[in-house]
Amino acid sequence: MIRVEKARRIILNSIKPLQCEYARTKDGLDRIVASDVKAKVMLPPFDNSAMDGYALKAVDTKLVSGARPRIFKVVEDLPAGYSPKRRVNGGEATRIMTGAPLPAGADSVVMVEYTKKQGSSRGRVKDSVEVYARVKRGENVRRRGEDVKRGQEVLSKGSVLRPQEIGMLAALGMKSVKVARKPRVGILATGDELVGLAAKLTKGKIRNSNSFIISAQTAKCGGLAIDLGIARDTRDKVRKKIASGLKKRLDMLLVIGGISVGDYDLVKDVLLELGMRMKFWKVAQRPGKPLAFGVIKGIPVFGLPGNPVSSTISFEEYVRPSLLKMQGAKDLFRPGLWALMMEDFHKKEGLRYFVRAKISQKDGRFYCIPTGPQGSGIIKSLILADGIIVAPEEIKTIKKGQRVYVQLLRHGYDGGAI
Ligand code: AMP
Ligand code: MG
């Protein structure tokens, strides 16, 4: 039995980066950028107005105040999307909308809120505006290149494409982006007791839920889940399913269940028969002690323990970082925080515990509490979890009020906004 860190080190050392490909910008969400992206254009591409108002020369407003308005001649009406035709000279202004290019001669924009239109309806000067506030040079103007300069790095290799990165690529006019190829992940469930969703549930059978969780987890970290079905608990059936799975150009194979010490736990033997170089079996942790890892024909293979919580947590702690590393991601691990335990927690010494927990916040402090029963078959413990408390091997009790590290599974946990 090896320690968590060692297991992680062995696994990550066996993971090789995948080739890259181009993804369309609109399909790029959650993909990992494969090389630094530099802007080929300026953002914004031209000086433009940050407000609806009047573009003019700041110097012309020098003596202007609420009590001392000044009338400007309006020389042009400029909505966003059009190019100015008129120059703004002293004493003149262009009516300008947010995003419209700043006309030549103007250097600032006075907000519409500080102006009063002089309409012909009142029989006064036609097409002029009364300005009630002073503006500084450059006020309410968005400068060409103030967001991004040509040649500037906007995305770095190994970063994840979030919605905002997709938006940046679009703003730069980039139709595609170089990303890591999606890892192809074969997922095989094992067990005579398992049936799919279409089958009738007869006595002794349960639904194959793990394949669903693991497929979804795979998709969440950029992988392409390839369902290899359910293998019955015979050597022959397991061997056949694994062998046919290995023909599917897999980048990783996940076999669920059958990896423990029960009479029908054949997966390890079959994998060895098929030529797997076993790197380890059993990790000093709960849940997920019987985790196995090895390599067949260069393909990393995980034997995930069958209990739903064990397989989910094993994926979270080992498979997810591996898939991210394959894709060249910079950040392999989830963010975490330190929180105060809300109740005593007892554990076995020598094992690292991954405790599903709810997180809350009060008076500027984070608190956490286990999500009730922590049995490895309690799927609900995962549903309720905002995070995973990492309880160290050496300790037997976490006391109420003690500080613990919690990996975050979701943001916006109970307790409201930060
Ligand atoms: P095993 O590791 O095969 O001994 O399985 C341990 C426990 O997890 C047993 O109760 C199994 O019924 C259950 N289990 C194994 N595989 C799955 C699966 N794919 N979906 C749901 N439960 C499973
Ligand atoms: Mg089984």
Side-chain angles (χ1 to χ4, degrees):
M1 197 152 74
I2 61 171
R3 283 174 67 100
V4 169
E5 286 82 10
K6 188 163 181 196
R8 216 173 249 153
R9 207 164 45 243
I10 292 172
I11 293 168
L12 291 177
N13 281 339
S14 325
I15 300 295
K16 311 233 158 31
L18 295 173
Q19 312 87 307
C20 30
E21 62 186 21
Y22 280 89
R24 286 197 294 186
T25 297
K26 71 185 183 69
D27 301 327
L29 190 64
D30 289 340
R31 303 292 293 268
I32 309 289
V33 179
S35 52
D36 295 344
V37 176
K38 291 203 169 74
K40 292 200 175 71
V41 294
M42 294 281 209
L43 265 193
F46 47 84
D47 292 353
N48 68 91
S49 179
M51 296 286 171
D52 296 329
Y54 291 84
L56 40 66
K57 291 179 187 298
V59 65
D60 285 356
T61 67
K62 213 165 168 187
L63 303 172
V64 171
S65 68
R68 295 181 59 185
R70 178 174 174 181
I71 292 178
F72 287 75
K73 183 182 171 205
V74 177
V75 294
E76 192 176 5
D77 209 338
L78 196 60
Y82 297 89
S83 184
K85 304 229 164 13
R86 293 288 304 269
R87 193 186 164 80
V88 173
N89 297 310
E92 294 178 347
T94 284
R95 186 176 299 122
I96 195 166
M97 298 299 122
T98 305
L102 197 72
D107 57 20
S108 49
V109 173
V110 59
M111 287 165 68
V112 74
E113 288 85 340
Y114 298 119
T115 66
K116 197 152 127 208
K117 214 169 173 176
Q118 301 290 293
S120 47
S121 56
R122 292 169 64 189
R124 305 232 335 243
V125 195
K126 205 175 173 189
D127 255 345
S128 63
V129 63
E130 210 165 34
V131 171
Y132 292 91
R134 193 182 161 178
V135 283
K136 290 195 293 276
R137 237 182 109 91
E139 201 169 324
N140 300 321
V141 174
R142 302 189 284 216
R143 288 283 167 211
R144 165 178 153 88
E146 74 171 23
D147 185 357
V148 176
K149 302 248 178 321
R150 183 183 295 127
Q152 193 181 338
E153 182 178 308
V154 283
L155 307 182
S156 61
K157 184 174 182 295
S159 54
V160 186
L161 291 175
R162 301 171 297 171
Q164 52 268 55
E165 277 82 20
I166 305 271
M168 174 60 84
L169 293 169
L172 295 171
M174 297 179 64
K175 291 196 193 72
S176 65
V177 53
K178 201 164 154 192
V179 293
R181 181 166 72 66
K182 272 179 171 290
R184 294 170 57 83
V185 182
I187 299 167
L188 176 66
T190 68
D192 284 353
E193 74 279 30
L194 301 177
V195 296
L197 297 190
K200 198 163 171 271
L201 206 59
T202 53
K203 184 116 180 138
K205 306 287 182 192
I206 59 165
R207 300 286 178 201
N208 167 20
S209 55
N210 285 353
S211 292
F212 286 82
I213 308 180
I214 298 290
S215 295
Q217 284 180 299
T218 298
K220 274 273 189 191
C221 50
L224 202 67
I226 296 162
D227 187 6
L228 304 177
I230 302 170
R232 297 297 160 214
D233 283 324
T234 70
R235 261 168 211 276
D236 200 39
K237 290 275 163 54
V238 173
R239 190 188 303 110
K240 274 199 180 122
K241 287 276 189 191
I242 293 177
S244 77
L246 288 171
K247 288 186 189 129
K248 298 192 175 187
R249 292 183 291 113
L250 300 182
D251 299 303
M252 183 184 281
L253 172 64
L254 306 177
V255 185
I256 309 162
I259 199 74
S260 198
V261 289
D263 290 348
Y264 299 92
D265 291 338
L266 326 147
V267 168
K268 190 159 52 75
D269 290 349
V270 172
L271 286 169
L272 288 170
E273 277 169 42
L274 285 168
M276 178 167 90
R277 263 188 303 124
M278 181 77 103
K279 302 266 179 133
F280 66 76
W281 177 49
K282 287 192 181 170
V283 181
Q285 62 184 4
R286 179 173 291 173
K289 192 163 78 175
L291 177 70
F293 178 74
V295 177
I296 289 185
K297 297 182 189 122
I299 303 169
V301 181
F302 287 86
L304 300 175
N307 278 302
V309 176
S310 310
S311 70
T312 306
I313 295 286
S314 298
F315 187 105
E316 184 56 41
E317 301 298 328
Y318 303 99
V319 182
R320 180 177 183 273
S322 303
L323 288 175
L324 290 174
K325 186 176 177 197
M326 260 185 197
Q327 297 169 83
K330 272 188 296 201
D331 297 326
L332 304 186
F333 301 102
R334 297 227 190 239
L337 51 79
W338 290 87
L340 302 175
M341 203 65 172
M342 290 172 78
E343 62 183 31
D344 287 357
F345 181 82
H346 302 285
K347 64 181 276 298
K348 220 168 131 180
E349 205 179 333
L351 298 180
R352 177 170 306 184
Y353 277 41
F354 295 106
V355 185
R356 282 75 68 208
K358 284 186 76 62
I359 303 171
S360 57
Q361 209 202 152
K362 204 178 166 211
D363 302 332
R365 287 206 170 103
F366 290 110
Y367 293 86
C368 62
I369 189 162
T371 53
Q374 294 287 307
S376 52
I378 310 281
I379 303 180
K380 200 169 67 220
S381 72
L382 291 164
I383 304 291
L384 297 173
D386 302 314
I388 300 171
I389 298 171
V390 182
E393 289 79 349
E394 293 70 29
I395 57 170
K396 275 170 85 170
T397 307
I398 304 173
K399 283 273 179 213
K400 181 178 173 181
Q402 208 170 315
R403 239 165 55 103
V404 286
Y405 185 71
V406 191
Q407 303 168 339
L408 293 179
L409 291 178
R410 65 168 160 231
H411 306 277
Y413 21 81
D414 183 16
I418 295 171

Coordinates of all heavy atoms in Angstrom, one line a residue, residues 189-190 193-194 206-210 257-258 265 306-308, ligand 1:
A189 N -17.4 -0.9 -17.2 CA -18.0 -1.3 -15.9 C -17.9 -2.8 -15.8 O -18.0 -3.5 -16.8 CB -19.4 -0.9 -15.7
T190 N -17.7 -3.4 -14.6 CA -17.7 -4.8 -14.4 C -18.6 -5.2 -13.3 O -18.7 -4.5 -12.3 CB -16.3 -5.3 -14.1 OG1 -15.9 -4.9 -12.7 CG2 -15.2 -4.9 -15.1
E193 N -23.9 -7.9 -11.2 CA -25.1 -7.3 -10.7 C -25.6 -6.0 -11.4 O -26.6 -5.5 -11.2 CB -24.8 -6.9 -9.2 CG -23.9 -5.6 -9.0 CD -22.4 -6.0 -9.1 OE1 -22.1 -6.9 -9.9 OE2 -21.6 -5.3 -8.5
L194 N -24.8 -5.6 -12.4 CA -25.1 -4.3 -13.1 C -26.0 -4.5 -14.3 O -25.8 -5.4 -15.1 CB -23.8 -3.7 -13.5 CG -22.7 -3.4 -12.4 CD1 -21.5 -2.8 -13.0 CD2 -23.3 -2.5 -11.3
I206 N -28.5 -4.0 -9.7 CA -28.5 -2.6 -9.5 C -28.1 -1.9 -10.8 O -27.6 -2.5 -11.7 CB -27.5 -2.1 -8.4 CG1 -26.1 -2.5 -8.7 CG2 -27.9 -2.7 -7.0 CD1 -25.0 -1.8 -7.9
R207 N -28.4 -0.6 -10.8 CA -28.1 0.2 -12.0 C -26.6 0.4 -12.1 O -26.0 0.6 -11.1 CB -28.8 1.5 -12.0 CG -30.3 1.4 -12.0 CD -30.9 1.0 -13.3 NE -32.4 0.9 -13.2 CZ -33.1 0.2 -14.0 NH1 -32.5 -0.5 -15.0 NH2 -34.4 0.1 -13.9
N208 N -26.1 0.4 -13.3 CA -24.7 0.8 -13.5 C -24.6 2.3 -13.5 O -24.8 3.0 -14.5 CB -24.2 0.3 -14.9 CG -22.9 0.9 -15.3 OD1 -22.2 1.5 -14.5 ND2 -22.6 0.9 -16.6
S209 N -24.4 2.9 -12.3 CA -24.4 4.3 -12.2 C -23.0 4.9 -12.4 O -22.8 6.0 -12.9 CB -24.9 4.8 -10.8 OG -24.2 4.1 -9.8
N210 N -22.0 4.1 -12.1 CA -20.6 4.6 -12.2 C -20.2 5.0 -13.6 O -19.5 6.0 -13.7 CB -19.6 3.5 -11.7 CG -19.6 3.3 -10.2 OD1 -20.3 4.1 -9.5 ND2 -19.0 2.3 -9.7
G257 N -14.6 -1.4 -10.8 CA -15.0 -2.5 -10.0 C -14.1 -3.7 -10.3 O -13.2 -3.7 -11.1
G258 N -14.3 -4.7 -9.5 CA -13.6 -6.0 -9.7 C -12.1 -5.9 -9.4 O -11.3 -6.7 -9.8
D265 N -13.2 -10.6 -8.1 CA -12.4 -9.4 -8.5 C -11.2 -9.8 -9.4 O -10.1 -10.1 -8.9 CB -11.9 -8.7 -7.2 CG -13.0 -8.0 -6.5 OD1 -14.1 -7.8 -7.1 OD2 -12.9 -7.8 -5.3
G306 N -15.1 -0.3 -7.2 CA -16.5 -0.3 -7.7 C -17.5 0.6 -7.0 O -18.4 1.1 -7.6
N307 N -17.3 0.8 -5.7 CA -18.2 1.6 -5.0 C -18.3 3.0 -5.6 O -17.3 3.6 -5.8 CB -17.8 1.7 -3.5 CG -18.3 0.5 -2.7 OD1 -19.5 0.1 -2.7 ND2 -17.3 -0.3 -2.2
P308 N -19.5 3.5 -5.8 CA -19.7 4.7 -6.5 C -18.8 5.9 -5.9 O -18.2 6.7 -6.7 CB -21.2 5.0 -6.4 CG -21.8 3.7 -6.3 CD -20.8 2.8 -5.5
Ligands
AMP1 P1 -16.5 -4.3 -6.6 O1 -15.4 -3.4 -6.5 O2 -16.7 -4.8 -8.0 O3 -16.5 -5.4 -5.6 O4 -17.8 -3.4 -6.3 C1 -18.0 -2.8 -5.1 C2 -19.4 -2.3 -4.9 O5 -19.6 -1.3 -5.9 C3 -20.5 -3.3 -5.1 O6 -21.5 -3.1 -4.2 C4 -20.9 -3.1 -6.5 O7 -22.2 -3.5 -6.8 C5 -20.8 -1.6 -6.7 N1 -20.5 -1.3 -8.1 C6 -19.5 -1.8 -8.8 N2 -19.6 -1.3 -10.1 C7 -20.6 -0.4 -10.1 C8 -21.2 0.4 -11.1 N3 -20.7 0.5 -12.3 N4 -22.3 1.1 -10.8 C9 -22.8 1.1 -9.5 N5 -22.3 0.3 -8.5 C10 -21.2 -0.4 -8.8

